[in-house]
Amino acid sequence: MIKHILKIMWNQRRTNGWIFAELLIVAGVLWMMVDTFWVDNRTYHAPLGFDIENVWRFKLGKLNAKAPGYVIDSLYHSSDPEDLTQLMNQIRQNPEVEDVCVTFYSCPYSNGNSWRPVKPVDGDTLYAKTMESFQMRNVTPEYFRLFRIQTNDGGQVYDKIKGRHNAIVITPEMAEGFYHGAPNIVGRRVYHSENEQTSEIAAVSTSIRSNEYERPEASFYQCLEGEIFNSVVSGFGAERAEFCVRMKRAYTQDEMNRFLDGMGDRLTVNNLYVYGVTPISYFREGHLEYYEREASNKMSLMAFMLVNVFFGIIGTFWLRMQNRKGEIGLRMALGAHRITLQRYMYTEGLCLLAMTLPLIIIFAFNMVYMDRLDTYRQPLTAMRFLVTFGLTYLLMAAMICIGIWFPVRKAVRLAPAEALHYE
């Protein structure tokens, strides 16, 4: 049958040539759309590296001189770091609270953008020659426990850094850039602040992404312990801390407001106090607003193009089958069975589609060579190539079959004499 179909297609090469050209263009465009959807979907559903469920951010402020309860300077016997530490302990003692941590411009979805030049002391890579800047997150050790960040081997980061001073936690991307996956990274030291200070690598975390639409980047965590905690809090001010609290169960906004009311004086330490609370999910929504708007526009464009492709292919094959009613009638008059005739028409359309495959593969390699595919967020693997190509041709095959099905089904139900009238 295939040999016969190819012979008929060659005899009708003028008509089939235009259809082949249309299928070729549509297959290329549709494959690019499917590949884009693959990258967006895989990136969005990849692990973030942290968990914000039931986490709230307390808003901190300082009383002014006219506020009731203001502590004047002569009666003030503690520092900002001491006040912030005491406030953390008072809130942590509540039985409804699971954990408390403090960060500075490093909370998830906070748009923090602190960078510091870092270089490995004993690295053997490109980063060992020049000091590169990496995103830095200033966090207390409880941060890793609160946001449930693990090491790259599945352990708890908090257990690795508890009680250690001047320690950092790096991501796998940074470890790869420094040491090319060498073992025994923990315990090595890195330079920072223009080679004036060094810090010890306490752990390598899992990959951390800033949001659902970005890939993980090389970054590190500066653990705020001891003198470093005092220095950072004194420099930024305790009221500027991102004070994060994980509750043991899910709370609504009203329930959290009642929780704060019930805490009373425990939300105040000297002039430092808590005046409000916001779920981290609220910051997530604000942070992702731009990305989601861009994704929505992209999906709308893809849907519009897909609808045009759908009706274009169906219309082409529908019209083609309508114009071949005479041929169908002749085949029926010569004894062709209806089911065999339908199968023949489907096979002919799919053969025409299959002939585009070699040229589309060449087109795909050209797109890769010219770097037109998004290989930054998702690597170009064999699975990605096969899945996107498979989905593209399945979609086009379904459209072709739909375009053939109705007119052929209608034609084969005609009496042979009536069908021959078209011939």
Side-chain angles (χ1 to χ4, degrees):
M1 178 188 288
I2 300 297
K3 184 178 179 181
H4 176 66
I5 288 174
L6 293 176
K7 185 176 181 180
I8 295 297
M9 289 172 61
W10 176 253
N11 291 334
Q12 299 175 347
R13 56 186 177 275
R14 178 172 296 181
T15 303
N16 288 334
W18 290 107
I19 298 175
F20 175 80
E22 178 185 354
L23 291 177
L24 192 62
I25 295 172
V26 168
V29 172
L30 188 57
W31 173 69
M32 293 289 288
M33 291 167 53
V34 172
D35 185 78
T36 300
F37 179 77
W38 166 273
V39 172
D40 289 344
N41 187 67
R42 294 277 294 185
T43 302
Y44 186 87
H45 291 97
L48 288 169
F50 56 85
D51 178 22
I52 63 169
E53 185 180 10
N54 300 336
V55 178
W56 297 75
R57 182 170 156 185
F58 285 20
K59 302 175 184 178
L60 303 182
K62 277 198 170 182
L63 297 173
N64 59 43
K66 297 181 180 180
Y70 176 77
V71 180
I72 60 176
D73 292 343
S74 60
L75 300 177
Y76 210 108
H77 303 297
S78 61
S79 62
D80 272 5
E82 292 172 335
D83 289 349
L84 188 58
T85 301
Q86 184 177 343
L87 182 62
M88 292 172 63
N89 292 332
Q90 290 178 181
I91 295 177
R92 187 181 288 115
Q93 291 171 2
N94 190 290
E96 295 295 321
V97 173
E98 181 176 323
D99 217 332
V100 180
C101 77
V102 163
T103 77
F104 286 89
Y105 311 107
S106 305
C107 181
Y109 305 110
S110 65
N111 296 315
N113 198 27
S114 299
W115 294 73
R116 176 182 289 179
V118 178
K119 183 177 75 171
V121 172
D122 56 350
D124 56 358
T125 66
L126 178 64
Y127 290 137
K129 299 177 181 178
T130 59
M131 185 169 283
E132 301 284 341
S133 291
F134 297 91
Q135 185 174 6
M136 176 184 66
R137 299 179 175 94
N138 286 304
V139 301
T140 57
E142 295 81 10
Y143 176 95
F144 302 100
R145 191 170 58 190
L146 187 145
F147 288 105
R148 297 175 179 171
I149 297 176
Q150 297 182 327
T151 61
N152 57 352
D153 59 0
Q156 298 298 322
V157 175
Y158 177 78
D159 296 336
K160 303 287 185 181
I161 64 171
K162 182 175 63 175
R164 303 180 71 166
H165 300 289
N166 197 21
I168 66 171
V169 175
I170 66 175
T171 62
E173 292 76 21
M174 190 171 180
E176 178 66 23
F178 280 178
Y179 306 107
H180 278 320
N184 303 321
I185 294 176
V186 174
R188 296 192 181 190
R189 304 191 72 84
V190 297
Y191 288 118
H192 56 85
S193 300
E194 302 300 332
N195 294 348
E196 294 178 0
Q197 298 176 354
T198 63
S199 295
E200 182 183 6
I201 298 175
V204 179
S205 71
T206 55
S207 295
I208 304 296
R209 298 197 294 146
S210 59
N211 60 65
E212 285 81 349
Y213 294 91
E214 301 291 343
R215 58 165 280 177
E217 300 288 354
S219 60
F220 70 99
Y221 294 91
Q222 175 70 62
C223 300
L224 303 181
E225 278 276 290
E227 290 301 320
I228 295 180
F229 175 80
N230 296 337
S231 174
V232 171
V233 175
S234 299
F236 287 112
E239 70 278 9
R240 296 181 182 273
E242 296 166 335
F243 197 97
C244 300
V245 178
R246 177 183 285 275
M247 308 301 291
K248 291 183 178 179
R249 64 176 181 87
Y251 275 73
T252 64
Q253 184 68 55
D254 290 339
E255 288 174 331
M256 281 303 297
N257 292 335
R258 289 194 293 270
F259 170 82
L260 293 186
D261 292 338
M263 289 287 290
D265 293 340
R266 285 175 292 178
L267 295 181
T268 303
V269 176
N270 292 322
N271 292 330
L272 183 66
Y273 71 102
V274 176
Y275 69 89
V277 61
T278 305
I280 297 293
S281 57
Y282 172 82
F283 296 100
R284 176 184 179 274
E285 293 172 3
H287 184 83
L288 297 183
E289 184 177 0
Y290 168 78
Y291 296 95
E292 290 178 345
R293 185 168 59 252
E294 291 294 311
S296 178
N297 293 338
K298 186 187 298 183
M299 289 300 297
S300 298
L301 179 60
M302 290 174 61
F304 175 76
M305 294 178 66
L306 189 60
V307 169
N308 280 272
V309 167
F310 179 78
F311 285 109
I313 291 181
I314 288 179
T316 298
F317 280 87
W318 189 305
L319 183 61
R320 184 169 182 264
M321 291 298 106
Q322 287 286 99
N323 293 334
R324 297 178 67 185
K325 279 187 176 180
E327 179 188 340
I328 294 172
L330 183 59
R331 289 179 180 276
M332 291 177 60
L334 294 175
H337 194 273
R338 292 179 177 179
I339 296 178
T340 303
L341 193 54
Q342 288 178 316
R343 189 181 302 159
Y344 169 85
M345 293 299 175
Y346 289 135
T347 306
E348 186 183 72
L350 295 177
C351 282
L352 196 59
L353 174 64
M355 291 174 65
T356 65
L357 184 58
L359 294 179
I360 292 300
I361 291 178
I362 295 174
F363 168 76
F365 278 106
N366 273 279
M367 291 295 102
V368 174
Y369 178 76
M370 294 187 295
D371 199 23
R372 297 297 183 182
L373 299 180
D374 188 349
T375 56
Y376 180 74
R377 292 188 297 164
Q378 290 290 323
L380 185 60
T381 60
M383 183 180 72
R384 172 180 169 181
F385 191 81
L386 292 174
V387 170
T388 54
F389 256 79
L391 287 175
T392 299
Y393 275 86
L394 282 175
L395 283 172
M396 293 192 65
M399 295 176 191
I400 289 172
C401 290
I402 292 173
I404 293 173
W405 171 74
F406 187 79
V408 169
R409 179 174 176 271
K410 187 176 180 181
V412 297
R413 291 179 181 274
L414 296 176
E418 184 181 352
L420 280 173
H421 173 70
Y422 293 95
E423 183 65 24

